Amino acid sequence: AISGMARLLNALLDISKLEAGVIKPEPTDFAVSQLFEELRAEFATIAASKGLMLEVDRCRDTVHSDPTLVEEILRNLLSNAIKYTRAGMVQLRCLHEPSLIRLEVLDTGIGIPADELPRISDEFYQVGVASNSTRDGYGLGLSIVQRLVKLLSLRLDVRSEVGKGSAFS
């Protein structure tokens, strides 16, 4: 119970700091490969314990942004992908597009209905879970992701199909 309350308070504190403008990005050039390796080390055991395969691309690119905040975005997306995937895999990919590098988290999870996509970053909202029922998490992760994306002047794209999985990039 204490651990759960600590996670909730930390998430609320993160949102509060983002709303108050206390968190200031510190952009620098950083290697995506180092960030990907840290995330692989953090999530490989968690994915394996659920019988999921975690695939992490080898990315040799360097990007200019705040590495700590980008890591927090990817950590939240990976955590959700693993949480909502019952079988199959979760992937962390690095795609090369003209003038940008797209970082993407894909899963073979339960997917999100199209009519629910506009609400997924609402605070305390979880798809298909009544607000007064037992929850797996607090419905704050994507709200934090959306705020961090905005703070970094990035764009979050979401594709999803019920029963087939989701892609957040």
Side-chain angles (χ1 to χ4, degrees):
I2 291 172
S3 176
M5 289 304 294
R7 285 192 307 276
L8 174 60
L9 289 173
N10 284 335
L12 290 171
L13 184 59
D14 288 347
I15 288 174
S16 174
K17 286 179 186 176
L18 287 164
E19 287 296 313
V22 174
I23 297 175
K24 301 288 186 207
E26 296 180 21
T28 186
D29 292 337
F30 67 94
V32 175
S33 61
Q34 182 178 352
L35 176 61
F36 275 24
E37 282 308 310
E38 289 172 16
L39 291 166
R40 177 198 315 266
E42 182 176 341
F43 286 98
T45 304
I46 298 167
S49 72
K50 284 191 71 178
L52 302 174
M53 182 161 55
L54 176 64
E55 290 184 7
V56 179
D57 275 4
R58 296 190 184 278
C59 184
R60 292 181 174 85
D61 295 296
T62 298
V63 295
H64 186 80
S65 191
D66 184 308
T68 303
L69 299 180
V70 171
E71 181 177 8
E72 186 63 24
I73 290 168
L74 293 174
R75 179 176 285 110
N76 273 299
L77 294 176
L78 282 167
S79 177
N80 277 355
I82 291 169
K83 184 184 305 181
Y84 296 107
T85 301
R86 295 184 186 117
M89 69 171 191
V90 172
Q91 264 185 313
L92 177 57
R93 300 192 318 177
C94 176
L95 305 171
H96 307 270
E97 297 182 6
S99 74
L100 67 91
I101 302 299
R102 179 182 297 268
L103 304 181
E104 191 167 56
V105 176
L106 297 96
D107 64 61
T108 56
I110 61 175
I112 304 166
D115 62 330
E116 299 279 359
L117 286 173
R119 296 193 59 205
I120 62 173
S121 63
D122 291 355
E123 292 170 13
F124 302 107
Y125 183 75
Q126 290 179 313
V127 174
V129 178
S131 60
N132 61 351
S133 66
T134 303
R135 301 163 153 246
D136 186 15
Y138 301 103
L140 295 172
L142 289 178
S143 180
I144 292 169
V145 164
Q146 190 61 50
R147 284 173 167 86
L148 290 172
V149 164
K150 183 178 178 183
L151 181 65
L152 293 171
S153 300
L154 301 174
R155 189 179 83 220
L156 180 67
D157 292 324
V158 183
R159 301 181 315 275
S160 190
E161 190 173 338
V162 174
K164 295 196 176 180
S166 301
F168 286 80
S169 56

